Amino acid sequence: MKQFKLTIIIPAYNEINTIQNLIDKIYQINIDKQIILVDDCSTDGTSEVVFENKDKINKIIVHEENKGKGAAIRSAQSYIEGEYVIIQDADLEYDPNDIINLLNEIENKKCQVVYGSRVLRNPENKKSQNFSHNIRIIGNIFLTKLSNYLNNQNLTDAHTCYKLFESELFKSILLQENGFSFCPEITTKISLLNINILEIPINYHGRSYQQGKKIVATDGLEAIWTLIKYRYF
């Protein structure tokens, strides 16, 4: 019997403008949850806010140097105590209210993995999407199509942050990528196990680079190599 229904892993790096609101929103989710927050060597006051909210967070991990999103998730992996686990970025581009819908989907469909798609539309419940830049839309389409081709999936948004897993499955995956390439790595490794990934629509409010967006064009190139590397090598 797991101690919690859901573990929420929050990698955070220099998110002073959103971290307090994010912690409050996650804390208020009405579910039996474990919150693991990994501060990836923030220098803008994010760490101070995190520790001011230590009573709302089950586990705080602090990196002494900036290692990247994948490394932050890997640092949290061994501390997972929930039946399921999800990744939540600290920038609030993703709406924590969607987490309940993802959890309901994985339980109702009795599946092992559910992604929240920024692309899918639900006619009965319009979701808000804002990719902030057309180039990012084109890049996401290309990377998703390549991922589907290599991994025999039928996803609309392979590189979404909102990825929900059965915890035992997630903990069994040997993660190696330090940066944003965690996304293509985990999708490929799940696919190599012949596990079908389901999707549901989610809200998304993308930031501009002026607002603190961190992913850049070279991350897309690294994603391509990561897909090929773990699929064939």
Side-chain angles (χ1 to χ4, degrees):
M1 187 74 175
K2 292 291 183 181
Q3 185 174 352
F4 301 95
K5 171 62 70 173
L6 178 68
T7 294
I8 303 171
I9 297 175
I10 307 172
Y13 174 61
N14 285 352
E15 296 294 355
I16 189 63
N17 293 326
T18 56
I19 190 66
Q20 182 64 63
N21 195 12
L22 182 277
I23 292 171
D24 290 341
K25 285 178 177 291
I26 293 294
Y27 184 73
Q28 290 165 8
I29 295 174
N30 186 24
I31 190 170
D32 182 26
K33 59 189 175 293
Q34 174 197 25
I35 301 172
I36 303 176
L37 196 149
V38 185
D39 180 76
D40 196 24
C41 197
S42 295
T43 57
D44 66 343
T46 295
S47 297
E48 288 79 0
V49 175
V50 168
F51 279 98
E52 287 170 2
N53 289 270
K54 61 183 180 180
D55 292 341
K56 299 178 180 179
I57 303 167
N58 300 85
K59 178 71 177 177
I60 298 173
I61 302 170
V62 178
H63 286 174
E64 294 185 359
E65 61 183 69
N66 180 243
K67 298 179 179 180
K69 178 177 178 175
I73 294 169
R74 195 165 62 248
S75 292
Q77 196 175 22
S78 62
Y79 296 99
I80 295 169
E81 297 180 8
E83 183 179 353
Y84 302 100
V85 57
I86 193 169
I87 314 302
Q88 169 74 57
D89 286 346
D91 55 14
L92 277 179
E93 287 190 335
Y94 294 78
D95 184 355
N97 291 317
D98 284 324
I99 290 176
I100 295 294
N101 296 331
L102 287 156
L103 188 60
N104 288 339
E105 183 76 4
I106 204 169
E107 291 195 305
N108 292 338
K109 296 293 178 63
K110 301 187 184 305
C111 56
Q112 293 178 280
V113 186
V114 175
Y115 285 8
S117 172
R118 297 166 292 178
V119 177
L120 282 178
R121 297 290 194 275
N122 183 344
E124 297 178 0
N125 183 20
K126 295 291 184 181
K127 295 293 183 179
S128 173
Q129 282 86 10
N130 173 23
F131 277 84
S132 76
H133 203 290
N134 289 336
I135 296 297
R136 291 188 56 223
I137 296 175
I138 295 169
N140 189 63
I141 291 171
F142 172 78
L143 289 174
T144 295
K145 286 185 178 296
L146 178 62
S147 178
N148 285 341
Y149 175 76
L150 294 175
N151 293 321
N152 195 30
Q153 296 282 355
N154 190 31
L155 300 171
T156 63
D157 190 7
H159 298 271
T160 176
C161 164
Y162 268 172
K163 294 174 164 67
L164 175 67
F165 309 89
E166 284 187 342
S167 290
E168 292 307 313
L169 169 64
F170 185 73
K171 290 192 290 184
S172 73
I173 302 292
L174 177 62
L175 296 173
Q176 296 170 269
E177 295 298 313
N178 287 333
F180 292 110
S181 287
F182 158 79
C183 284
E185 176 189 11
I186 193 67
T187 298
T188 302
K189 290 182 174 180
I190 291 293
S191 300
L192 287 170
L193 297 173
N194 294 316
I195 294 172
N196 186 47
I197 301 172
L198 300 187
E199 288 182 307
I200 65 169
I202 59 167
N203 292 292
Y204 180 68
H205 305 281
R207 297 188 299 178
S208 67
Y209 291 106
Q210 291 76 18
Q211 294 170 318
K213 188 73 178 175
K214 296 181 176 68
I215 196 165
V216 294
T218 53
D219 293 308
L221 298 177
E222 289 184 17
I224 294 171
W225 167 238
T226 301
L227 286 166
I228 295 170
K229 176 173 63 175
Y230 291 113
R231 186 66 195 181
Y232 296 114
F233 304 109

